[in-house]
Amino acid sequence: MPDPSTEASPPYNPDAIFHPNGPLDPHCVIEAVAAIKRALPITPGEPRDAVSRRVHAALRGLSALHARDEIELMLGVQALCAYHAATACWRLGMNLTLPHGDGTRHIATAASAARTFDSMLRALERRQAKPLAVPAGRPDSQDWQATDPAWQQMCTIEAGDFLRPAARQLDPSKGSDDEILDATYFDTEDDLDLSTVEGILPGGGIIVPEEPTPAQAAYIERRLRLIYQREREENRRNGIMKPTRFRPLHDGDLVP
């Protein structure tokens, strides 16, 4: 009989991390993909096929790093973001800066980002040189009594959806933050009863609570959507064509 240890293992599909039933939590992978797409250097008006090609190349790079868990996935995202920062700064320093003497700082920034890319790859390689194992002394799972529903909600992925407008629609196949905003542009009115929303300030703003109720989450999402739409319209009037970028929102922040 052949020795099982000498038999060739089946080829590993590097794109397995993007599968719904892949080795990593799909929510984490979707967030990683979104973070990479937000960091890509994209010029307004650039042909869509060029943008798609750049996104495809970035995702291929992520799969080539063979992340085994969510921490290694984060390291891979940081490495790829550093790479794209370097390429953007190389272009600025070498081709787009006039007078050319001003390109020195862009070239220095590009070199720094390239070193960061190398450092992140080395950190990932050091981690992957060791087998994944349960830390010594980690207690086993136990049969705890049923927890409070509010605690369960806070610990689920869905509880943080309100932190980004249209977060439930955030999917690698559905485009950039600008495209997500376009998809909800005319959807600024809903049947939300404001009398059920606690904490609305006199001016209409609200402080993000630690555990928002569904009504508060819907109200925050509506306010953010309007803020980004008005901000984009103001930018367009001023000739600013940069893509929309959703900014992170944390507990205690003021949503005006």
Side-chain angles (χ1 to χ4, degrees), residues 141-182:
S141 298
Q142 301 183 36
D143 293 329
W144 299 100
Q145 296 181 355
T147 57
D148 182 75
W151 173 262
Q152 293 178 354
Q153 182 183 15
M154 185 177 66
C155 292
T156 59
I157 297 294
E158 291 76 16
D161 279 354
F162 74 95
L163 295 180
R164 289 175 52 84
R168 288 179 295 278
Q169 303 178 39
L170 185 58
D171 184 277
S173 65
K174 294 190 177 180
S176 64
D177 291 349
D178 245 334
E179 291 168 332
I180 293 174
L181 191 60
D182 285 336

Side-chain angles (χ1 to χ4, degrees), residues 12 26 29 43 118 163-164 213:
Y12 174 74
V29 176
T43 304
D118 180 70
L163 295 180
R164 289 175 52 84
T213 64

Side-chain angles (χ1 to χ4, degrees), residues 194-227:
L194 297 184
S195 64
T196 64
V197 183
E198 301 178 358
I200 297 180
L201 301 176
I206 186 172
I207 302 295
V208 179
E210 183 176 354
E211 298 180 17
T213 64
Q216 288 174 323
Y219 183 75
I220 291 171
E221 183 174 337
R222 178 204 287 182
R223 300 289 294 188
L224 289 175
R225 196 186 312 147
L226 290 172
I227 289 172

Side-chain angles (χ1 to χ4, degrees), residues 44-129:
E46 188 173 3
R48 187 169 183 83
D49 60 339
V51 175
S52 298
R53 185 172 60 250
R54 192 169 304 130
V55 171
H56 175 75
L59 298 187
R60 292 297 299 168
L62 182 63
S63 65
L65 296 176
H66 304 300
R68 301 174 299 173
D69 62 9
E70 287 72 19
I71 296 299
E72 292 182 0
L73 183 68
M74 294 175 187
L75 288 172
V77 170
Q78 294 301 313
L80 289 170
C81 288
Y83 163 76
H84 286 104
T87 59
C89 289
W90 286 130
R91 178 169 176 262
L92 286 172
M94 303 301 290
N95 299 315
L96 298 182
T97 303
L98 293 174
H100 291 296
D102 291 343
T104 303
R105 61 188 180 91
H106 295 301
I107 294 173
T109 303
S112 177
R115 289 191 295 270
T116 301
F117 175 64
D118 180 70
S119 297
M120 299 307 299
L121 288 183
R122 291 176 183 271
L124 182 59
E125 290 170 353
R126 287 195 302 269
R127 196 173 196 277
Q128 291 183 331

